[in-house]
Structure formats: structure tokens, C-alpha cells
Amino acid sequence: MTTYVLVPGFWLGAWAWRDVTAALRGMGHEVHPLTLTGLADRAHLASPDLDLDTHIRDITGLVEAEDLNDVVLVGHSGSAAAVTGAAARAAGRVSRVVYVESGPVPDGMAQIDLTGREFVDKRVVDGWRYPMPSWDELQESGSSVEGLGEPERALMASRATGQPLGTITQPLALGDDAAAFAALPKTLVSCSFPLTQVKELIAAGHPAFAPLAGPEWELRELPTGHWPMLSRPGDLAVLLAEMV
């Protein structure tokens, strides 16, 4: 049995992992899908004061409160900075970090730097909420919607919550935990980018991909769009079940 903590990306909550959670539990694994503060069923806690540290504490708090060990910590898309920070702080309880359609945010950088400040800034509401863009805007920004039919799109649109801006603008600061994070085994699950393309970018030294060249990295592929937990949940669960 493996213990999983599943962290959703921008605008989503634990609900997005429902089918993946059910499949993994059906295989006998322990699974903890997490809603980050200010989103989905915790939207009532949203405020301009929320920041990256809040979301890091959400993850580490769950791990500590449930006394979890040998955790496979899975982060999707925009949760990368929070997952990286949490993995670093709780490295002794984490066995592997899995980035689904994502990657580690470099120390000192903010999630918004990878998402695109200009793209986000012009869509912010009330000065602190970043709502889910339209499907056309998402595709233009590089987020593939392949595999999402009308039911999945309707589900996302009805349940999406504005992302508290501070959670993606605060820079990641690993400090003394950087070495512990660097030593952790890590997996990239690429869905909307062919793995051959990812490997070419790594070999070329692309700033966002070069860190994935280290021996601690495993590269996996699940061809679909940017939200595989909705477009191919069963296949994603099988892939995650192979990680120990």
C-alpha cells in the first residue's frame, strides 16, 4: 500500500481528484485529496491575506495531522510552488514528489513567473482574485483542453474558484530545506507535451526544463490535455500506482 496526497492546481479543489482517488483506493492505497485554503469547499476562507506559505502549511499540516509517512506527494499544474515548499519542509515524511503537468518552481521564484505575470495581471478581479479564464484563453496560454468533453468542462466551469493572488505571487523560499528537497526522488508526468519534446528541451538547457536532467528525476508520459485527472482519471491512477 502507498500513501498519496493529491494537490490540485489553480481554481480547483479536492473534488477534481474524485475519480483518481476512487481508483487508487480501489487498488488498496491510502489517498488524501486536498483542498487548499480559499478554494472550492474552503472558498469561505479566501482573502487578500492568503499567500504561498498558507498553501504550504495546508499540505504539511495534513501530513503531520494524519501522521503520514512515505508519502507520494502529487501536485498538479499551479500547485507546484506549494508542493515544492511542502516537500522541502516535510522531506522526512515524503518518499517521492510527482509533478503532473507541472514542474518544480525554482527557489526564489513565484508560481506567477511561470504562469506569466502579464497573462494573470490583466485578469485579476478586486485586486486579489484570479478567476479561471475562458477555454479559448486557456488554450491560447498553452493549457490544452484535449480530452475534456462537455460534462468535464461544465464541471470545471461550475466549480472553479478564483485563485487568491497572494498564493501565486509570493516567491518560494526553501532556505535550509533546499538540500533535503534536492535529494527527494521526483517524477514528471507530461500530458500535453510529448515526452520527446520535453527531453529535447532538457538537453537544450531550457531554464524551465534543465533541472529535470538530474538523476533524481523520472520522466513519464500520459497523452491528453492539461487536466488528466478529469480527462483520463483511470489511466492517471494506474500511472501513480506504479510510483513508490
Side-chain angles (χ1 to χ4, degrees):
M1 182 191 78
T2 302
T3 300
Y4 296 88
V5 171
L6 309 178
V7 186
F10 290 171
W11 317 301
L12 310 180
W15 63 265
W17 295 102
R18 181 186 58 193
D19 292 343
V20 175
T21 297
L24 285 171
R25 287 176 177 166
M27 299 176 202
H29 300 296
E30 181 177 354
V31 190
H32 298 265
L34 174 65
T35 294
L36 298 169
T37 300
L39 297 158
D41 51 294
R42 303 185 70 194
H44 60 289
L45 300 175
S47 81
D49 298 325
L50 294 183
D51 58 17
L52 177 61
D53 282 334
T54 308
H55 284 182
I56 290 174
R57 287 194 300 270
D58 285 338
I59 302 169
T60 58
L62 169 67
V63 170
E64 291 165 6
E66 296 291 337
D67 195 21
L68 306 180
N69 290 286
D70 296 322
V71 172
V72 175
L73 178 56
V74 183
H76 170 252
S77 188
S79 68
V83 165
T84 297
R89 292 186 192 179
R93 292 177 178 266
V94 175
S95 63
R96 178 174 294 274
V97 189
V98 181
Y99 294 93
V100 178
E101 277 290 276
S102 186
V105 175
D107 196 9
M109 202 176 235
Q111 186 72 49
I112 194 172
D113 293 318
L114 300 183
T115 304
R117 286 182 179 271
E118 201 172 293
F119 182 83
V120 174
D121 286 346
K122 63 184 180 182
R123 291 169 175 80
V124 170
V125 175
D126 298 331
W128 63 275
R129 287 185 295 118
Y130 171 40
M132 189 178 91
S134 69
W135 296 114
D136 287 342
E137 289 173 320
L138 286 169
Q139 290 191 93
E140 288 169 9
S141 71
S143 298
S144 170
V145 299
E146 181 180 345
L148 295 182
E150 286 304 318
E152 291 79 19
R153 293 192 189 198
L155 179 66
M156 273 189 66
S158 65
R159 292 199 170 188
T161 313
Q163 186 78 24
L165 192 61
T167 65
I168 63 174
T169 55
Q170 181 186 9
L172 178 66
L174 297 182
D176 294 338
D177 298 321
F181 172 74
L184 286 172
K186 303 174 186 70
T187 300
L188 169 74
V189 179
S190 184
C191 301
S192 54
F193 280 90
L195 204 53
T196 52
Q197 185 177 354
V198 172
K199 291 178 178 178
E200 288 171 358
L201 290 167
I202 292 172
H206 188 287
F209 290 87
L212 279 62
E216 75 277 18
W217 279 94
E218 174 190 28
L219 306 178
R220 302 295 296 271
E221 184 176 42
L222 181 63
T224 185
H226 189 64
W227 291 273
M229 69 283 289
L230 297 175
S231 60
R232 293 184 64 180
D235 293 328
L236 179 57
V238 169
L239 190 153
L240 291 174
E242 297 172 356
M243 299 175 191
V244 294

